[in-house]
Amino acid sequence: MSKLFIYYSFTGNGDLVAKQMEQYGYETYKIIAKRSLPKSFFWSVFIGGFLSAINHKSKLVDFNVDISKYDEIVIGTPIWCGKIACPTASALAKLDLSEKKVSFVLYSGGGESPKAIEYLTNKYNAKVIEIKEPKKYGLEALELFK
């Protein structure tokens, strides 16, 4: 069974999750936004949260992943202002996941994300796993993907 982990990472938490998913046999594909957020933590949280809150769609760098050859797709995304990060939302808008087994891994510094979980579960009929600050608290929740 072929498996793919598509993810966005701003602070490095997604990159850490991707390394673990590779150990579980997933190929990885990183979503890259054309415009980066400011380096200042305060401004990046403020602007990223605001853009997510208004459902902004980010322009992406060469997002051309072919998901047809994969049986299972896992999407990794930070949570900004209770929603998935803008670059992830943009990537999802370009993918037809209707015939795929889909799961989501949410990584957040703020804790729980009930709105995002409800949205993703309903829209994609997907399993959703939350990990609070993977760099700080670890990746034990990912063992479900072994």
Side-chain angles (χ1 to χ4, degrees), residues 6-94:
I6 301 172
Y7 73 102
Y8 175 72
S9 183
F10 179 69
T11 63
N13 281 309
D15 296 316
L16 185 64
V17 171
K19 286 180 187 174
Q20 186 66 46
M21 295 300 278
E22 285 176 347
Q23 291 180 6
Y24 294 156
Y26 286 78
E27 290 184 42
T28 59
Y29 187 96
K30 187 172 184 176
I31 299 165
I32 301 172
K34 281 192 177 181
R35 289 183 74 188
S36 186
L37 292 171
K39 294 188 188 234
S40 158
F41 180 75
F42 172 79
W43 286 111
S44 65
V45 169
F46 181 79
I47 293 170
F50 172 75
L51 293 173
S52 287
I54 64 168
N55 296 316
H56 173 76
K57 296 289 188 275
S58 300
K59 291 185 180 170
L60 305 177
V61 174
D62 299 326
F63 186 77
N64 57 2
V65 62
D66 178 12
I67 63 169
S68 65
K69 62 183 178 179
Y70 299 97
D71 301 310
E72 181 181 348
I73 311 284
V74 178
I75 310 289
T77 184
I79 297 299
W80 295 346
C81 201
K83 296 184 175 188
I84 61 175
C86 299
T88 308
S90 297
L92 286 172
K94 296 174 183 261

Side-chain angles (χ1 to χ4, degrees), residues 13-14 16-17 106-108 131-139:
N13 281 309
L16 185 64
V17 171
L106 311 179
Y107 21 96
S108 172
I131 304 175
K132 183 177 179 181
E133 294 185 66
K135 291 194 293 188
K136 187 174 182 180
Y137 296 108
L139 300 168

